[in-house]
């Protein structure tokens, strides 16, 4: 029985993991700087009309949100090569064609947007409409998904291979 909490594993190369860990470390190290900025702006007077104070608080909120996101991503990420599979899975480079037109192809990485900084490939999330439709498909298999525009789009999986980063 599924609890509904099993998210597909996020696979990161060691390089991507290290880059994200360095970003997290930098954000954490920068916390005192942001706090000092907020305190300096608070000293300027009336907080209702203090744009610098509000900007510093907004920057702090964004940084804290990013810290929480990165901590969770790094805590749950699988580091290394994604396992090979006989069906489409997260961490794979997938080639598809659209609507029975074998000349209308697209090749992309099915994975976390975080990995997009390590590749020139377009990255689609496994939670996206296209990602959900092709997950667990085999080469030659056709599936249909509903695009955000509401249009039904038919795609056929041509091939897939593990992402090598």
């Amino acid at each position: 029985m599924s609890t509904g909490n099993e998210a597909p594993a996020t696979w990161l190369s060691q390089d991507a993991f290290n880059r994200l860990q360095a970003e997290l470390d930098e954000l954490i190290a920068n916390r005192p700087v942001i706090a000092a900025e907020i305190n300096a702006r608070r000293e300027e007077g009336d907080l209702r009309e203090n744009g610098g104070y509000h900007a510093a608080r907004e920057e702090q909120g964004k940084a804290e949100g990013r810290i929480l996101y990165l901590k969770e991503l790094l805590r749950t990420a699988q580091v290394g090569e994604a396992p090979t599979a006989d069906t489409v899975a997260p961490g794979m480079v997938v080639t598809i064609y659209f609507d029975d037109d074998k000349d209308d192809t697209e090749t992309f990485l099915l994975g976390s947007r975080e990995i997009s900084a390590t590749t020139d490939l377009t990255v689609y999330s496994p939670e996206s409409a296209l990602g959900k439709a092709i997950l667990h498909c085999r080469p030659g298999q056709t599936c249909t998904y509903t695009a955000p525009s509401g249009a039904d789009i038919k795609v056929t999986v041509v091939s897939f291979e593990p992402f090598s980063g």
Side-chain angles (χ1 to χ4, degrees), residues 5 11 26 28 33 40 51 57-58 65 70 74 82 84 89 93 102-103 123 138 140 150 152 157:
N5 292 338
W11 286 89
E26 184 178 323
I28 290 171
V33 174
R57 289 295 306 249
E58 185 174 325
L70 288 174
L74 295 172
T84 57
V93 177
K102 292 184 180 183
D103 293 326
V123 178
R138 298 178 188 283
D152 285 336
V157 175

Side-chain angles (χ1 to χ4, degrees), residues 111-164:
S112 165
R113 281 183 272 152
E114 290 304 319
I115 204 164
S116 65
T118 67
T119 180
D120 291 332
L121 289 169
T122 299
V123 178
Y124 288 105
S125 165
E127 291 82 30
S128 69
L130 173 59
K132 286 179 185 175
I134 64 168
L135 211 52
H136 308 299
C137 286
R138 298 178 188 283
Q141 191 170 348
T142 300
C143 55
T144 303
Y145 70 96
T146 303
S149 67
D152 285 336
I153 299 175
K154 184 166 81 170
V155 297
T156 301
V157 175
V158 175
S159 64
F160 58 85
E161 63 187 37
F163 176 62
S164 60

Side-chain angles (χ1 to χ4, degrees), residues 51-66:
Y53 170 79
H54 294 290
R57 289 295 306 249
E58 185 174 325
E59 181 182 342
Q60 180 187 41
K62 287 179 183 176
E64 290 302 318
R66 182 72 175 160

Side-chain angles (χ1 to χ4, degrees), residues 1 16 19 27 37 52 87 121 126 141-142 153 165:
M1 185 168 115
R19 183 182 50 76
L27 286 167
E37 177 71 14
T87 62
L121 289 169
Q141 191 170 348
T142 300
I153 299 175

Side-chain angles (χ1 to χ4, degrees), residues 78-98:
Q78 300 287 327
V79 179
E81 295 295 318
T84 57
D86 58 354
T87 62
V88 174
M92 295 194 165
V93 177
V94 182
T95 300
I96 59 171
Y97 64 83
F98 294 91

Side-chain angles (χ1 to χ4, degrees), residues 6-50:
E6 297 93 17
T10 298
W11 286 89
L12 297 174
S13 66
Q14 187 65 54
D15 181 57
F17 182 89
N18 294 345
R19 183 182 50 76
L20 293 171
Q21 183 65 55
E23 180 186 349
L24 175 62
D25 294 344
E26 184 178 323
L27 286 167
I28 290 171
N30 198 37
R31 278 175 163 163
V33 174
I34 294 173
E37 177 71 14
I38 289 170
N39 285 335
R41 298 299 181 179
R42 185 180 291 127
E43 299 297 320
E44 292 175 0
D46 188 355
L47 296 181
R48 289 174 296 173
E49 296 179 11
N50 188 332

